[in-house]
Amino acid sequence: APKPGTDSALAMAMGHVILKEFYIDTKSAYFEEYVKSYTDFPFLVFLHKLEDGSYIPGRIVRASDFLNNLDIKNNPEWKTVLFDKNFNICVPNGCVGSRWGEDGFWNLEMKDVRNGSNIDPVLTLLGNSDSVVTVCFPYYAGRSYKHFVFTNTNHNDILKRNVPVRKINFSNNLTTFVATVFDLFVANYGVNRGLGGSDVALTYDDDVPYTPRWQEAITGVKKEDVIQLARQFAQNAN
């Protein structure tokens, strides 16, 4: 069992294994279809550039950010967007903007609210990106706190990880990079995708947040046990 108060570190390490083995190295068709249909993984996120040339994630991109609100009349500021397989911008059913003021779109059918066309959402921009940029993620386990004391880990408060992005033109003449939630999620976990950078893990033995090796110093659980648990957990679901 992990040390008291360290469950989140164990969960992050399990997530690292599951992402690497069931989403990156080998794709689970079941998992991919599930996250496309029931999570925010395909949605697009603004990236904001810092003075040093790196980026930080901003908010979710909305229909109201585009010229003519992407022809959305009802609640465009509450309708999020994604790319379909042809990299067209789509507005899927089920966004919070469809909850009020209209009928027939408050559901999770993979259709565009504007014309009812079927959508196959894009999870990752890897292989279809305009660029790869360095994105900064906060790291909170680098120090101990009064009410959360654990073995300190020797890592920077900011983790810099590379993310594939695409450039979009918006209604205010702003052209900026966006990333999918999925690509940001995988980058935050430090999973290696061949994009380079110093804060990614090449193996589970690397002491990089959030690997099985990393969590050992925090939880006291052997990395081999975390790997086995994560695999069995995911294999059972798959």
Side-chain angles (χ1 to χ4, degrees):
K3 299 174 184 176
T6 63
D7 303 47
S8 58
L10 179 64
M12 290 295 288
M14 289 178 62
H16 182 99
V17 173
I18 293 170
L19 286 169
K20 178 174 173 55
E21 296 190 8
F22 290 82
Y23 287 89
I24 306 302
D25 292 351
T26 301
K27 297 183 186 298
S28 162
Y30 168 68
F31 285 172
E32 184 166 306
E33 183 62 26
Y34 184 91
V35 296
K36 283 183 178 182
S37 300
Y38 302 117
T39 77
D40 63 357
F41 273 6
F43 289 119
L44 301 180
V45 177
F46 280 110
L47 295 181
H48 299 299
K49 194 172 186 178
L50 303 178
E51 291 183 359
D52 66 357
S54 62
Y55 290 78
I56 57 172
R59 64 169 174 80
I60 294 282
V61 180
R62 305 178 295 212
S64 58
D65 295 314
F66 294 85
L67 186 66
N68 297 324
N69 296 331
L70 293 177
D71 296 325
I72 296 291
K73 306 300 182 184
N74 183 57
N75 299 327
E77 68 277 17
W78 292 99
K79 290 183 176 174
T80 51
V81 306
L82 49 76
F83 285 124
D84 68 5
K85 64 180 180 180
N86 297 314
F87 287 93
N88 299 312
I89 293 291
C90 295
V91 186
N93 287 4
C95 298
V96 67
S98 293
R99 179 66 180 85
W100 295 276
E102 60 191 39
D103 295 318
F105 303 106
W106 182 239
N107 57 64
L108 294 179
E109 294 179 0
M110 287 291 97
K111 297 181 182 295
D112 194 309
V113 298
R114 297 170 297 180
N115 52 30
S117 61
N118 293 326
I119 299 173
D120 183 7
V122 169
L123 277 183
T124 178
L125 302 180
L126 187 65
N128 292 285
S129 65
D130 291 326
S131 185
V132 173
V133 303
T134 299
V135 178
C136 300
F137 297 90
Y139 178 68
Y140 298 108
R143 62 186 71 182
S144 293
Y145 300 89
K146 179 180 179 180
H147 301 292
F148 189 63
V149 180
F150 52 86
T151 302
N152 197 19
T153 62
N154 187 27
H155 299 286
N156 295 327
D157 289 343
I158 299 296
L159 303 174
K160 294 188 175 182
R161 289 163 168 172
N162 294 341
V163 176
V165 296
R166 284 179 77 98
K167 190 173 289 186
I168 291 183
N169 298 317
F170 293 96
S171 61
N172 55 1
N173 294 320
L174 172 68
T175 300
T176 190
F177 286 130
V178 298
T180 66
V181 171
F182 176 78
D183 283 332
L184 292 169
F185 193 83
V186 175
N188 184 47
Y189 272 81
V191 178
N192 178 41
R193 304 174 76 189
L195 298 175
S198 59
D199 280 334
V200 294
L202 300 180
T203 74
Y204 293 153
D205 289 326
D206 291 342
D207 183 19
V208 173
Y210 299 96
T211 65
R213 167 66 182 85
W214 161 85
Q215 66 80 42
E216 274 190 342
I218 299 174
T219 69
V221 178
K222 294 180 180 179
K223 62 179 183 293
E224 293 83 6
D225 292 340
V226 172
I227 295 169
Q228 180 182 4
L229 178 61
R231 285 174 178 164
Q232 291 176 342
F233 187 86
Q235 286 166 355
N236 183 61
N238 188 49

